Amino acid sequence: QVQLVESGGGLVQPGGSLRLSCATSGFTFSAFAMRWYRQAPGKVRELVAQLANNGGSTNYADSVKGRFTISGDNAKNTLYLQMNSLKPEDTAVYYCNAARGIYSYYPPLHSWGQGTQVTVSS
């Protein structure tokens, strides 16, 4: 059974930093592209960052490029998102998921976890 458990969110001031974690089990972590999504209340879920299969290339939404860094630890089956220079518009619930490849036509494979709340406010 696949499990995705997000953690590391919290309340931070604009310009601050957080590191999110996604602990996974039930699938071969390194064989899949891994993704971070976020969703604000009343808004659609959007793709924020992606790590290619076997920890290859990365790509980011324009809104977070240069501020966020996605990485993974195959030994721990854990995905990370380092978030720097946070802005109020980054406020959302953050979720992780997997895909069979890096292209956008590959949908997320698993049921959504509970996510972790990130609030950026002064």
Side-chain angles (χ1 to χ4, degrees), residues 9-29:
L11 175 64
V12 64
Q13 293 183 338
S17 297
L18 287 171
R19 190 178 76 156
L20 307 184
S21 297
C22 171
T24 77
S25 62
F27 66 98
T28 305
F29 179 83

Side-chain angles (χ1 to χ4, degrees), residues 98-112:
R100 294 194 180 278
I102 64 172
Y103 300 106
S104 62
Y105 56 76
Y106 288 115
L109 285 171
H110 308 303
S111 299
W112 300 105

